[in-house]
Amino acid sequence: MAAQKGAARSRSGAKPPGTAAPAGPTRGELLAYYRDMLLIRRFEERAGQLYGMGLIGGFCHLYIGQEAIAVGVQAAKRPGDQMITGYRDHGHMLVCGMDPREVMAELTGRSGGSSRGKGGSMHMFSIEAAFYGGHGIVGAQVSLGTGLALANAYRGDGKVSWAFYGDGAANQGQVYESFNMAQVWKLPIVYVIENNEYAMGTAIDRSSSETRLHKRGVSFNIPGEEVDGMDVTAVKTAAQRAAEHCRRGKGPYLLEMKTYRYRGHSMSDPAKYRTREEVDEVRKTRDPIEHVEDLLEKHGWADEAALKAIDAEVKRIVADAAEFARTSPEPDPSELYTDVYTEA
């Protein structure tokens, strides 16, 4: 396997002059990245099964293939930094530390869910984990994330807001209004563009006049760079660089993560706009989890038995989460009247 995935290499921009090359990841870090990405994938695979069984209703957008982005950014965050994203959000929740049981129960609309079964797949939230949603309106989270950064700047607390959005949201007007405000006020926010090439189902070169999305901040004097979003170590390094820029009071930063989703836009999407051969080629040459496997095996830090043990542990966690979701009761009808207004 070590000789196989040579394509997963960083394509991020050049480092600023005088910046030393970062040290490579340690054994412990790589094993943690591997486990976290594997947890997301196994969780999403089980969520897909539950959807097929009719236990998850409405929309369900899986993160399979994009795991390195959420994991790499989480590795670069500091405690208290906020994360906000769109509706492909299960992976972000898990890396923020939300309980897999509560996330899966929310997907199935059960009372044991993180939003007591009232948010579903696209609208979860956890103040404790500094995760501010899951948002179903395309691009809405960009403005909300900018508001989080404004609060950070106002308080002077040194926190950074991380706002994730996709290539499909990149053409939304509120994104550019947010860019302008963030740069004028030098707000501490990193805009993370998860460019999986197809938005809802249209190739980016058919929908965008400028496909190099990291350049979208140029007219606002916001620096940006392209990153191999299938390489968790490249993601972490670029995220650290972006966060340092923000924490020094230099304003916002754009990171375009070049990635690829293996499934359709949502579970109801047959993805007929691309070929099976294209998907298989990415799986074979750029898979983010197998890339970390290669690194672990290359350094002699983990053998096949050790990796299988991690997989077995992750599968137990996911199976437990699925059983909790299946057996947790549905919300009481009285929940319709809670969380509507803030009580004085």
Side-chain angles (χ1 to χ4, degrees), residues 50-70:
L50 296 181
Y51 185 93
M53 296 165 61
L55 294 175
I56 295 176
F59 289 101
C60 184
H61 305 80
L62 303 183
Y63 202 58
I64 297 174
Q66 301 182 208
E67 298 92 347
I69 301 173

Side-chain angles (χ1 to χ4, degrees), residues 38-289:
L38 200 57
L39 174 61
I40 295 173
R41 182 160 301 183
R42 298 293 182 244
F43 184 96
E44 295 289 65
E45 290 170 347
R46 181 57 66 92
Q49 293 172 1
L50 296 181
Y51 185 93
M53 296 165 61
L55 294 175
I56 295 176
F59 289 101
C60 184
H61 305 80
L62 303 183
Y63 202 58
I64 297 174
Q66 301 182 208
E67 298 92 347
I69 301 173
V71 172
V73 168
Q74 180 65 26
K77 284 172 56 191
R78 288 184 185 175
D81 283 359
Q82 305 101 336
M83 184 180 284
I84 188 168
T85 187
Y87 40 74
R88 197 178 309 280
D89 52 3
H90 313 156
H92 304 76
M93 301 171 194
L94 293 173
V95 300
C96 280
M98 292 178 67
D99 187 339
R101 281 182 153 205
E102 294 186 355
V103 177
M104 194 71 85
E106 189 62 38
L107 294 182
T108 58
R110 304 304 177 98
S111 61
S114 58
S115 298
R116 298 201 293 280
K118 300 188 293 182
S121 173
M122 300 196 292
H123 300 100
M124 293 194 221
F125 188 91
S126 173
I127 292 178
E128 295 78 14
F131 179 76
Y132 285 80
H135 294 272
I137 303 300
V138 175
Q141 72 275 16
V142 177
S143 297
L144 296 173
T146 303
L148 291 170
L150 175 60
N152 294 340
Y154 185 81
R155 290 190 293 255
D157 55 19
K159 296 177 183 177
V160 169
S161 170
W162 301 81
F164 293 73
Y165 63 100
D167 49 297
N171 296 322
Q172 293 286 314
Q174 70 267 31
V175 172
Y176 299 99
E177 294 178 28
S178 299
F179 283 179
N180 187 65
M181 178 184 291
Q183 180 65 342
V184 167
W185 290 341
K186 302 297 182 187
L187 302 183
I189 180 168
V190 181
Y191 297 107
V192 183
I193 310 167
E194 299 192 78
N195 181 2
N196 60 31
E197 302 183 20
Y198 284 100
M200 283 188 67
T202 302
I204 187 172
D205 58 3
R206 295 183 58 208
S207 61
S208 297
S209 59
E210 173 56 85
T211 60
R212 297 167 297 174
L213 301 182
H214 61 284
K215 293 183 175 293
R216 292 289 183 92
V218 169
S219 61
F220 302 95
N221 294 316
I222 300 176
E225 61 179 288
E226 180 183 292
V227 185
D228 184 353
M230 307 296 271
D231 181 345
V232 66
T233 60
V235 172
K236 180 191 176 184
T237 299
Q240 287 177 319
R241 191 156 53 241
E244 184 63 21
H245 174 92
C246 294
R247 296 191 207 280
R248 288 181 176 178
K250 295 183 177 181
Y253 202 96
L254 264 67
L255 292 176
E256 179 189 359
M257 303 293 180
K258 300 286 283 186
T259 187
Y260 196 86
R261 54 173 168 79
Y262 294 169
R263 302 288 185 92
H265 173 69
S266 70
M267 284 297 297
S268 60
D269 173 20
K272 293 182 178 179
Y273 40 81
R274 60 186 183 182
T275 66
R276 171 51 54 188
E277 291 74 20
E278 177 183 311
V279 179
D280 289 343
E281 179 64 18
V282 176
R283 281 182 175 271
K284 184 186 301 183
T285 62
R286 297 177 60 209
D287 185 80
I289 296 175

